[in-house]
Amino acid sequence: MSLAVRVIPCLDVDGGRVVKGVNFQGLRDAGDPVELAKRYDAEGADELTFLDISASHEGRATTMEIVSATAEQVFIPLTVGGGVGSVEDVDRLLRAGADKVAVNTAAIARPDLVAEIADRFGSQVLVLSVDARRAGPGTATDSGFEVTTHGGRTSAGLDAIAWAKQAADLGAGEILLNAMDADGTREGFDVDLIRLVRAEVSIPVIASGGAGAAEHFPPAVEAGADAVLAASVFHFGTVAIAEVKDALRGAGHAVR
């Protein structure tokens, strides 16, 4: 378990611009990724996550130029995901300046990819991104949560908690846990989901989806998150990174 809680802004990039919507629909422009990355670095973010949200959906690789430009401007760890489907993709992203790589859809299709990446580059490089939602009628999962792909558009037919555990066993270094039901709603993190995953894995869990105010962050950590990630509240100035750290500190959690 890491001692200090990490606060991580997420840049969802589509067509070279940072965007944000509700449940990945109705996307709004939130600015230039390189400029936002510089701002967050200056404001005290502990890490940055950069997700090319249309990459898997459109079947293309992540935009290397933006990754390189972002990496040149920031001095905090950079995680990049979107359309990562092979060990070669990971190699390219690390060479472009990423410190860690997030894998989602391709790992669901072929779980061995998790082990292959971990074996080649080390577990610390590999973040498994899990887009989880409450299972709908007709989808039986033991935990009540299922895995989705393509920005929450498609059910993967997997139990989200079991998949997180399997990936951890295969060598994933962290779980980026995206609560799809909460995404963009600004009503708070899905603490039930965080608690269930925390009970099954010993690797760090990054909570994502639903942040709307500074007071939403401490409950995610109390539920078991090692790091908290948010996008729209930071991009549109609703909450500052310093406010999140103050709220976490005030709730008794160590921050950097």
Side-chain angles (χ1 to χ4, degrees):
M1 299 287 283
S2 56
L3 296 173
V5 177
R6 289 168 287 149
V7 178
I8 308 174
C10 182
L11 307 178
D12 293 313
V13 178
D14 184 18
R17 299 288 291 177
V18 176
V19 295
K20 198 59 208 166
V22 178
N23 305 122
F24 290 92
Q25 306 295 315
L27 300 176
R28 280 194 293 167
D29 188 275
D32 175 71
V34 180
E35 292 305 313
L36 275 173
K38 276 166 68 174
R39 191 184 101 197
Y40 293 137
D41 193 7
E43 287 178 6
D46 298 304
E47 294 184 14
L48 273 176
T49 294
F50 177 113
L51 298 176
D52 192 330
I53 61 167
S54 50
S56 288
H57 177 51
E58 294 170 5
R60 62 180 167 75
T62 308
T63 324
M64 294 293 163
E65 303 78 58
I66 303 175
V67 174
S68 298
T70 305
E72 280 165 20
Q73 296 290 342
V74 301
F75 304 98
I76 50 179
L78 177 64
T79 298
V80 181
V84 176
S86 67
V87 167
E88 291 71 34
D89 289 341
V90 176
D91 190 48
R92 271 196 294 275
L93 286 168
L94 295 175
R95 287 172 191 277
D99 297 285
K100 299 188 248 188
V101 174
V103 180
N104 186 341
T105 312
I108 293 166
R110 199 172 67 81
D112 285 347
L113 180 63
V114 174
E116 288 166 15
I117 295 169
D119 289 347
R120 169 102 177 255
F121 304 103
S123 291
Q124 77 285 348
V125 158
L126 179 58
V127 178
L128 181 83
S129 184
V130 179
D131 293 342
R133 70 179 176 204
R134 282 177 166 72
T139 313
T141 64
D142 290 343
S143 69
F145 286 93
E146 65 175 335
V147 177
T148 67
T149 60
H150 301 85
R153 286 185 276 272
T154 315
S155 170
L158 290 172
D159 184 303
I161 314 306
W163 170 231
K165 183 180 189 317
Q166 183 187 353
D169 293 343
L170 284 167
E174 295 186 274
I175 303 288
L176 171 53
L177 188 59
N178 307 304
M180 302 309 285
D181 300 315
D183 178 74
T185 62
R186 302 194 180 193
E187 288 167 9
F189 290 92
D190 192 329
V191 292
D192 297 336
L193 176 61
I194 297 165
R195 212 171 272 122
L196 286 167
V197 172
R198 172 80 289 153
E200 293 297 331
V201 305
S202 57
I203 59 174
V205 173
I206 305 163
S208 165
E215 60 267 23
H216 287 156
F217 291 84
V221 176
E222 278 132 36
D226 300 272
V228 284
L229 178 145
S232 52
V233 288
F234 293 143
H235 302 337
F236 299 117
T238 314
V239 180
I241 289 163
E243 289 176 70
V244 172
K245 291 196 171 187
D246 286 345
L248 289 167
R249 223 178 264 116
H253 304 295
V255 293
R256 295 181 185 178

